[in-house]
Amino acid sequence: MPASMFNYTKMVLENVSFDPVLFCKEVEKAFKMLLPYDLERLVDWLYKFTTTRPELQGCLTGMESTK
């Protein structure tokens, strides 16, 4: 079940990546919802995903303590 929740979260984030504000809200929700192991995976995925999307990198502030 947790792996599917992680995959669902990634899918949602990919679908809302057109809007930085909505993307940040979904990232915040994911941080409250996911288990610690999945949260680490999400942070890694977010850094890779936002590499080519500088408008979304503002959501990564504060995640340094998680990584």
Side-chain angles (χ1 to χ4, degrees), residues 9-63:
T9 301
K10 282 187 359 182
M11 181 189 67
V12 169
L13 290 172
E14 288 170 346
N15 288 335
V16 299
S17 64
F18 67 92
D19 181 1
V21 174
L22 187 55
F23 185 82
C24 288
K25 286 181 182 180
E26 290 297 330
V27 168
E28 290 174 13
K29 287 194 325 189
F31 267 68
K32 294 176 185 175
M33 180 180 55
L34 292 175
L35 298 173
Y37 171 74
D38 288 331
L39 195 54
E40 289 177 22
R41 292 172 54 200
L42 181 67
V43 169
D44 290 339
W45 179 83
L46 282 169
Y47 277 109
K48 291 174 187 164
F49 184 73
T50 59
T51 300
T52 59
R53 297 167 180 87
E55 69 276 7
L56 300 177
Q57 290 178 352
C59 298
L60 303 183
T61 57
M63 279 201 269

